[in-house]
Amino acid sequence: MFGVYAPGQDVARMTAFGLQALQHRGQESAGIAVGNGKTVLIHKDLGLVDQVFTEETLSHLDGDLAIGHTRYSTAGGGGWTAAQPHISAIDDELIALAHNGTLVDTLPQRAWLANEGVQLYGYTDSEVAARTIGVDTRRAGHIRAGIRLMMQQLHGAYAIVLATPTALYAFRDPNGIRPLSLGKLPDGGGWVVASESCGLDAIGAVFVRDVEPGEIVKVSASGFESEQGIEPARRASCIFEYVYFARPDSVLDGDVVYHARRRMGRILAREAPVDADYVLGVPDSGVPPALGYAAESGLEYCDGIVKNRYIGRTFIQPTQEMRQMGIRMKLNPLPSVIAGKRLAVIDDSIVRGNTSKQLVAMLRQAGAREVHLRIVSPEVMWPCFYGIDTDTRDQLISANMTHDEACAYIGCDSLAFISLEGLKSAVHSVHDGYCDACFSGDYPVPVPE
Ligand code: SF4
């Protein structure tokens, strides 16, 4: 998710660049909406950013400000109608909204909207947010007041960018669950917001700070404005962003993801040592912790698994079939490196167990003598309701098998996970309030039964 306010510049192209840097956050659809002073124009479709946007489509998106989104569906399914930004009208003014995260329990709000005479056209929580802002804005008389009311009515994880014809808004849920970075273009050229700081880097913007939990920022011809839309609640930034989701070159809440991952590897090496010939990292997110594990243990690191860079991340493909196909096409072991060797294989997480099972089988086929899996997240025991698709509890291997059963199912010689305390101590952000519900079951925002 990305937003830029930069009158006189090619805001659509800047947004396309920003979205490409954030492509890892969603690969089902991409969209850009621009505000041109009079109205909001949009182009969106299913596919990756460079499939959806051509020179021609970008040239039609002329404006002073833009927002963009790449989608990875967790609530409301996939398909074209769920692609974002979501467009709606407040009286005769169009607004576009792009949302990262998941709102919990939107059913009462849907009923409330129906009562207000608002018809919903899709099933996404983002449409509920946009329509709620519409009703609240009519009631309050100003869109910022409308956003404030929405923040009181809806709960869950949201980092949202919103474009009107003349202004860019960005706001974040009171727990700060999903990240949102704020940056500035050089020479007073404008303001930028992005889900991760790597999106700012992509267009040469300088990181200023994170948008604070519960904060609303607005950028328009009147300049930059900020207000506290809702009181901050218990700080609960998603710790899984550091483990898996975010890009290693991003800075989240003051810590560089790459360094956090290396520290995770070091801590895991102390918590779960193993006698091995080589340490391997499962690309991409397993590589920095593998380097940390090797440095701490004194074992040699080697690149024994090669990744096809043109295959999407398996975990965020929408169906099980696609996920399985993706795994086989994505990773290939190097037999000349690993044959006859005892391997400590470092991976970011085990959710369903399918990737690990196929990976271990591939390593054994390539001649590995022993495969010891070391995981830099604790066991995923609970589903995420805040924007990461870990599905239901019955799909989580750790929630349904004992440690020994999981090890046997995956086919490895040994299996160990970092402790939750170890993981938390590896992340050096400016606060110490994390959501760790998928490991602990302690949900910071109540989830209905
Ligand atoms: S439940 Fe897990 S994945 Fe979801 S927000 Fe919390 S820490 Fe992140």
Side-chain angles (χ1 to χ4, degrees):
M1 210 185 61
F2 187 88
V4 56
Y5 182 91
Q9 302 194 51
D10 191 348
V11 289
R13 191 175 303 271
M14 286 170 147
T15 304
F17 288 166
L19 290 183
Q20 263 179 332
L22 298 164
Q23 185 77 79
H24 60 286
R25 297 188 72 84
Q27 301 167 351
E28 290 169 40
S29 65
I32 294 176
V34 297
N36 64 7
K38 297 188 182 72
T39 189
V40 171
L41 306 171
I42 186 166
H43 180 79
K44 61 180 176 178
D45 209 342
L46 300 179
L48 302 172
V49 178
D50 64 358
Q51 294 168 327
V52 173
F53 291 99
T54 61
E55 279 298 322
E56 208 205 329
T57 48
L58 287 173
S59 68
H60 291 134
L61 293 171
D62 203 14
D64 298 330
L65 63 112
I67 63 167
H69 189 265
T70 57
R71 179 163 171 83
Y72 142 58
S73 57
T74 53
W80 194 88
T81 47
Q84 294 193 30
H86 179 273
I87 287 275
S88 57
I90 302 176
D91 296 328
D92 52 3
E93 181 170 285
L94 288 181
I95 61 163
L97 176 147
H99 169 208
N100 177 217
T102 300
L103 301 173
V104 297
D105 194 19
T106 54
L107 278 180
Q109 195 67 12
R110 287 171 188 276
W112 181 82
L113 285 168
N115 207 34
E116 294 286 330
V118 175
Q119 189 188 349
L120 295 172
Y121 295 97
Y123 298 98
T124 67
D125 53 346
S126 310
E127 182 181 7
V128 173
R131 298 285 174 171
T132 301
I133 290 170
V135 172
D136 287 341
T137 298
R138 277 187 210 102
R139 182 162 298 162
H142 188 279
I143 195 160
R144 217 157 70 198
I147 294 170
R148 272 202 301 268
L149 284 173
M150 179 234 106
M151 292 171 107
Q152 283 158 18
Q153 285 164 289
L154 290 168
H155 310 285
Y158 56 87
I160 291 178
V161 286
L162 187 152
T164 73
T166 55
L168 168 72
Y169 293 85
F171 45 102
R172 193 176 178 196
D173 69 69
N175 302 92
I177 297 176
R178 301 259 78 87
L180 189 56
S181 302
L182 176 69
K184 247 180 162 174
L185 289 166
D187 306 321
W191 290 86
V192 189
V193 283
S195 289
E196 294 177 35
S197 62
C198 68
L200 307 178
D201 300 339
I203 60 160
V206 178
F207 175 81
V208 174
R209 63 177 175 84
D210 294 289
V211 175
E212 292 296 325
E215 183 184 7
I216 304 171
V217 303
K218 176 190 176 191
V219 196
S220 66
S222 316
F224 177 88
E225 296 163 69
S226 159
E227 68 172 279
Q228 196 65 38
I230 188 169
E231 279 305 299
R234 168 187 156 191
R235 187 67 194 247
S237 298
C238 171
I239 203 161
F240 205 51
E241 291 272 355
Y242 293 93
V243 173
Y244 168 80
F245 214 62
R247 243 172 65 161
D249 51 339
S250 286
V251 184
L252 302 182
D253 293 331
D255 198 12
V256 181
V257 172
Y258 176 79
H259 294 306
R261 287 186 184 159
R262 285 200 62 139
R263 278 182 232 115
M264 289 170 203
R266 282 187 174 274
I267 292 166
L268 185 59
R270 293 199 290 273
E271 290 186 350
V274 65
D275 203 10
D277 300 309
Y278 288 137
V279 179
L280 264 62
V282 180
D284 291 315
S285 32
V287 172
L291 290 166
Y293 193 101
E296 186 71 20
S297 62
L299 298 172
E300 188 178 343
Y301 171 84
C302 83
D303 293 313
I305 304 169
V306 176
K307 184 188 163 189
N308 179 346
R309 298 196 180 283
Y310 301 97
I311 303 291
R313 298 176 83 167
T314 56
F315 179 59
I316 62 174
Q317 300 287 359
T319 67
Q320 181 67 10
E321 251 179 10
M322 282 173 71
R323 274 195 283 268
Q324 291 207 342
M325 241 162 49
I327 297 161
R328 283 196 298 271
M329 291 167 71
K330 192 175 84 166
L331 300 173
N332 201 24
L334 262 173
S336 58
V337 171
I338 63 180
K341 303 295 184 199
R342 299 166 302 157
L343 307 176
V345 179
I346 316 300
D347 205 353
D348 51 67
S349 55
I350 298 182
V351 178
R352 303 167 184 91
N354 303 324
T355 314
S356 308
K357 187 179 172 71
Q358 293 189 38
L359 176 75
V360 171
M362 284 194 305
L363 292 170
R364 291 208 190 278
Q365 273 168 15
R369 184 145 63 94
E370 292 175 19
V371 181
H372 301 274
L373 267 189
R374 294 293 179 270
I375 309 297
V376 282
S377 60
E379 292 179 89
V380 177
M381 302 291 284
W382 301 88
C384 173
F385 296 99
Y386 309 136
I388 306 274
D389 182 19
T390 50
D391 282 330
T392 50
R393 223 175 163 217
D394 57 6
Q395 290 180 297
L396 304 176
I397 187 169
S398 293
N400 293 286
M401 290 187 191
T402 64
H403 181 274
D404 289 349
E405 285 168 351
C407 191
Y409 172 79
I410 290 166
C412 49
D413 293 280
S414 74
L415 171 65
F417 299 82
I418 199 171
S419 67
L420 186 52
E421 300 67 41
L423 173 59
K424 285 184 176 175
S425 68
V427 181
H428 296 179
S429 75
V430 289
H431 58 79
D432 60 359
Y434 302 108
C435 175
D436 53 33
C438 49
F439 312 121
S440 65
D442 174 17
Y443 290 98
V445 179
V447 179
E449 283 296 309

